[in-house]
């Protein structure tokens, strides 16, 4: 039995077993990492051969034949002896490729494969996240347009305030997500390759390989960069590319986490008021003890993962801050955790948020009832203005409204009854001149200002151009979520 359950006898990250997509998990897998190392050794050999070094096509072909078939047990055994992960994989690859063994890793330092692989993974991970993020934006934009005119209570200090609309509130979430898209796209567009820089970034080993020909060394850097799919490389590095790059990317991801947390906290508050709900499946159970409950578990999951994502920014900042001179190795273990968990957490947040955004449920009658409890108080200034226009004295009217408002407030707060201010106004002969106008005075749509127009302008001018950038790459459907 122990053997059958062996996979459950050690720690497994919930990001892998529950939350993140298989595609994002693969980017941070050992198979992808070490096969990319081998691809980089092949690119280096091809570029060195093109620039005149004695490397044969047969050697390159032999390496290409063994890119994916990695003997992980042999590599682990080698690393146990050498205490060096790169050299362990060099030795294993060399045994598989005896002809190419003399030229594998020629002139390179460990960070040639380590850092360049990280940069390739970061680029691909950003390319995976951005279409998902824009997919969420697109879904929410449809929702905002659909409900752009539906009045709802606005809140400041979590207290009822002037009315807004359901769609306008959603546009505030979208605006933050657009800022995240811009930041992540900038990270993606600004990302460069480390290239071939040598032990401390001076390219001394490559200069020796090419007999002091600096032009060839520079061309080697350019060629490997281009073969790896990058347009530019970092002109100067230490042994590693600057950890400022990691900080910029993780900071952008942490900022996305803050956006997700804010939006999903709003959804949870609205769910508690029964105005808005996330999708709830037919067989879903909200509570083991309370069968009636419909907990906002997806939004809660997003908040939980987002909090973890937000904290990772400090790790990236501290790693940059503590890189002594040309580099220290205390970044390695930290980055294995921070970079992978930042992307896996962001991926999980977006997958869940996409599921939420394509199935939000609005309850207009509940919203209408909640408005009815507060709008009479908010409309008192309009009532006063109408009475003044009908010939009334403002100060007298103000006192009448003040007394009636306090009486209605007592009914609500002390007796738990509905707000009956409107009925009290209708029953007072003083307000007879405006009774025919009360319905229009209390129409919630007259209290939302330009909210509906703002949503249309926002979606047309700011959202749609960003969605268009991604064309058919936008992810708009989420798979069934894991528990």
């Amino acid at each position: 039995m122990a053997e059958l359950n062996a996979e459950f006898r050690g720690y497994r990250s919930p990001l892998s077993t529950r939350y993140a997509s298989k595609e994002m998990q693969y980017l941070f897998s050992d198979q992808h990492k070490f096969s990319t190392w081998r691809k980089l050794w092949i690119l280096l050999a091809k570029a060195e051969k093109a620039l005149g070094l004695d490397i044969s096509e047969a050697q390159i072909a032999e390496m290409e034949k063994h890119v994916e078939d990695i003997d992980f047990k042999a590599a682990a055994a080698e690393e146990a002896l050498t205490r060096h992960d790169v050299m362990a994989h060099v030795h294993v690859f060399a045994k598989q490729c005896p002809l190419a063994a003399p030229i594998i890793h020629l002139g390179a330092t460990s960070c040639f494969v380590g850092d360049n692989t990280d940069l390739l993974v970061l680029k691909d991970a950003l390319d995976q996240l951005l279409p998902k993020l824009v997919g969420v934006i697109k879904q929410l934009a449809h929702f905002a347009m659909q409900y752009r005119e539906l009045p709802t209570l606005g809140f400041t200090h979590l207290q009822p305030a002037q009315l807004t609309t359901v769609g306008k509130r959603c546009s505030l979430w979208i605006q933050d997500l657009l800022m995240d898209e811009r930041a992540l796209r900038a990270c993606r567009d600004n990302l460069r390759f480390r290239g071939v820089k040598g032990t401390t970034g001076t390219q001394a080993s490559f200069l020796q390989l090419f007999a002091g020909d600096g032009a060839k060394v520079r061309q080697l850097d350019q060629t490997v960069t281009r073969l790896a799919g990058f347009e530019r490389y970092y002109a100067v590095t230490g042994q590693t590319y600057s950890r400022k790059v990691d900080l910029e990317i993780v900071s952008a991801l942490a900022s996305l986490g803050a956006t997700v947390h804010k939006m999903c906290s709003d959804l949870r508050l609205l769910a508690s008021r029964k105005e808005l709900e996330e999708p709830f499946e037919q067989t879903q159970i909200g509570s083991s003890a309370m069968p009636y409950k419909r907990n906002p578990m997806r939004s809660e999951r997003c908040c939980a993962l987002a909090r973890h994502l937000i904290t990772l920014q400090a790790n990236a900042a501290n790693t940059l801050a503590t890189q002594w001179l040309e580099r220290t190795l205390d970044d390695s273990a930290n980055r294995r955790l921070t970079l992978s968990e930042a992307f896996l957490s962001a991926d999980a947040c977006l997958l869940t948020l996409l599921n939420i955004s394509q199935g939000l449920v609005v309850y207009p009658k509940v919203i209408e009832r909640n408005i009815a409890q507060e709008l009479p108080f908010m409309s008192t200034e309009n009532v006063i203005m109408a009475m003044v226009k009908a010939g009334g004295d403002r100060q007298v009217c103000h006192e009448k409204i003040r007394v009636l408002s306090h009486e209605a407030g007592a009914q609500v707060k002390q007796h738990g009854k509905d707000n009956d201010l409107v009925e009290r106004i209708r029953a007072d002969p003083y307000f007879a001149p405006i009774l025919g106008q009360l319905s229009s005075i209390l129409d919630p749509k007259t209290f939302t200002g330009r909210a509906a127009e703002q949503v249309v302008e926002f979606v047309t001018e700011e959202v749609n151009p960003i969605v268009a950038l991604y064309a058919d790459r936008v992810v708009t459907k989420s798979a069934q979520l894991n528990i």
Side-chain angles (χ1 to χ4, degrees):
M1 181 63 70
E3 290 182 4
L4 290 175
N5 294 324
E7 65 174 304
F8 300 103
R9 299 178 71 85
Y11 175 75
R12 300 189 303 163
S13 171
L15 289 167
S16 296
T17 59
R18 284 177 175 259
Y19 303 131
S21 69
K22 297 299 182 185
E23 294 79 10
M24 187 63 76
Q25 289 183 51
Y26 176 71
L27 286 182
F28 291 93
S29 69
D30 283 348
Q31 178 64 43
H32 182 62
K33 175 181 178 179
F34 296 124
S35 63
T36 303
W37 284 13
R38 294 184 173 192
K39 291 174 184 177
L40 287 167
W41 283 321
I42 293 168
L43 297 185
L44 179 63
K46 286 182 176 180
E48 289 173 337
K49 179 182 186 302
L51 290 168
L53 294 190
D54 186 16
I55 296 172
S56 69
E57 288 291 344
Q59 288 173 310
I60 292 172
E62 185 181 55
M63 287 193 289
E64 290 178 328
K65 183 179 177 181
H66 295 285
V67 168
E68 299 292 340
D69 57 330
I70 300 166
D71 188 338
F72 287 100
K73 288 185 178 180
E78 285 283 349
E79 188 172 352
L81 293 173
T82 62
R83 311 302 297 175
H84 197 289
D85 56 350
V86 173
M87 287 309 299
H89 279 269
V90 168
H91 291 165
V92 170
F93 196 28
K95 288 178 182 177
Q96 289 179 292
C97 308
L99 183 64
I103 55 94
I104 293 173
H105 199 67
L106 184 59
T109 189
S110 299
C111 286
F112 169 70
V113 288
D115 272 31
N116 282 325
T117 292
D118 287 344
L119 291 165
L120 285 164
V121 169
L122 292 175
K123 183 179 74 166
D124 290 343
L126 288 167
D127 281 339
Q128 282 196 24
L129 282 187
L130 281 164
K132 293 174 184 174
L133 173 55
V134 176
V136 172
I137 291 170
K138 184 177 181 179
Q139 292 286 359
L140 290 176
H142 289 318
F143 180 86
M145 289 292 287
Q146 182 179 357
Y147 294 101
R148 65 186 182 276
E149 295 182 351
L150 182 60
T152 190
L153 281 175
F155 285 84
T156 60
H157 315 278
L158 202 55
Q159 302 299 313
Q162 191 177 69
L163 301 190
T164 183
T165 70
V166 172
K168 172 62 189 300
R169 175 178 285 142
C170 179
S171 71
L172 298 178
W173 302 331
I174 298 170
Q175 182 170 247
D176 289 348
L177 289 168
L178 285 175
M179 295 173 69
D180 294 318
E181 185 280 332
R182 182 182 65 198
L184 290 171
R185 177 157 45 92
C187 288
R188 169 63 177 81
D189 292 345
N190 292 331
L191 200 61
R192 303 185 185 190
F193 204 51
R194 178 189 175 274
V196 289
K197 295 297 194 295
T199 307
T200 57
T202 64
Q203 299 179 308
S205 59
F206 294 103
L207 195 64
Q208 187 174 0
L209 274 178
F210 288 99
D213 191 335
K216 281 192 174 182
V217 174
R218 187 177 185 189
Q219 191 174 349
L220 177 70
D221 211 354
Q222 294 169 340
T223 301
V224 173
T225 296
R226 186 182 68 255
L227 290 173
F230 280 83
E231 295 180 4
R232 297 174 296 172
Y233 55 75
Y234 295 108
V236 293
T237 72
Q239 188 173 89
T240 68
Y241 68 81
S242 172
R243 297 319 185 205
K244 185 81 170 179
V245 176
D246 295 344
L247 176 57
E248 284 188 349
I249 293 173
V250 175
S251 294
L253 294 173
S255 182
L256 171 63
T259 297
V260 171
H261 199 291
K262 196 278 181 190
M263 173 184 167
C264 290
S265 295
D266 286 354
L267 291 175
R268 293 163 66 190
L269 291 170
L270 293 170
S272 75
R273 294 175 56 80
K274 297 180 173 59
E275 294 187 358
L276 190 67
E277 279 186 347
E278 63 180 36
F280 195 91
E281 295 164 22
Q282 189 173 8
T283 58
Q284 184 174 329
I285 295 174
S287 167
S288 62
M290 295 167 282
Y292 64 88
K293 294 193 76 178
R294 292 169 67 97
N295 298 333
M297 64 83 126
R298 291 167 173 80
S299 298
E300 290 172 324
R301 175 187 297 180
C302 282
C303 287
L305 291 168
R307 283 203 302 275
H308 178 61
L309 177 53
I310 291 167
T311 66
L312 295 176
Q313 192 272 346
N315 260 344
N318 281 312
T319 295
L320 167 65
T322 57
Q323 281 299 286
W324 301 348
L325 306 175
E326 277 65 50
R327 82 85 52 106
T328 62
L329 196 60
D330 62 354
D331 65 340
S332 180
N334 189 283
R335 292 175 71 250
R336 288 175 194 265
L337 296 167
T338 302
L339 295 180
S340 58
E341 291 193 2
F343 275 99
L344 292 168
S345 297
D347 183 65
C349 282
L350 290 177
L351 286 175
T352 309
L353 198 56
L354 187 58
N355 180 272
I356 292 170
S357 65
Q358 64 194 23
L360 286 172
V361 181
V362 178
Y363 295 107
K365 292 299 182 182
V366 177
I367 293 173
E368 184 180 325
R369 184 184 67 197
N370 290 337
I371 289 175
Q373 292 299 308
E374 303 293 343
L375 187 59
F377 294 140
M378 298 178 188
S379 67
T380 53
E381 183 66 19
N382 290 9
V383 171
I384 292 172
M385 291 297 98
M387 279 298 299
V388 170
K389 289 180 181 178
D393 184 299
R394 185 193 183 283
Q395 306 312 320
V396 173
C397 184
H398 185 279
E399 180 60 18
K400 287 275 189 181
I401 289 289
R402 186 188 70 80
V403 172
L404 295 179
S405 295
H406 282 286
E407 291 174 353
Q411 294 297 308
V412 174
K413 296 177 180 178
Q414 296 176 23
H415 304 291
K417 296 183 178 181
D418 290 341
N419 188 334
D420 64 356
L421 177 58
V422 175
E423 286 72 19
R424 291 175 183 274
I425 291 173
R426 289 186 189 279
D428 192 323
Y430 176 80
F431 294 99
I434 64 165
L435 291 183
Q437 304 174 45
L438 270 183
S439 294
S440 59
I441 290 173
L442 293 169
D443 182 357
K445 289 186 178 180
T446 65
F447 290 82
T448 60
R450 294 191 66 252
E453 290 84 356
Q454 287 179 346
V455 172
V456 174
E457 293 162 2
F458 173 65
V459 170
T460 302
E461 298 171 9
E462 299 191 35
V463 177
N464 289 346
I466 296 301
V467 173
L469 283 179
Y470 292 82
D472 57 355
R473 292 190 296 133
V474 176
V475 178
T476 55
K477 293 293 182 182
S478 66
Q480 178 75 20
L481 292 179
N482 293 327
I483 58 172

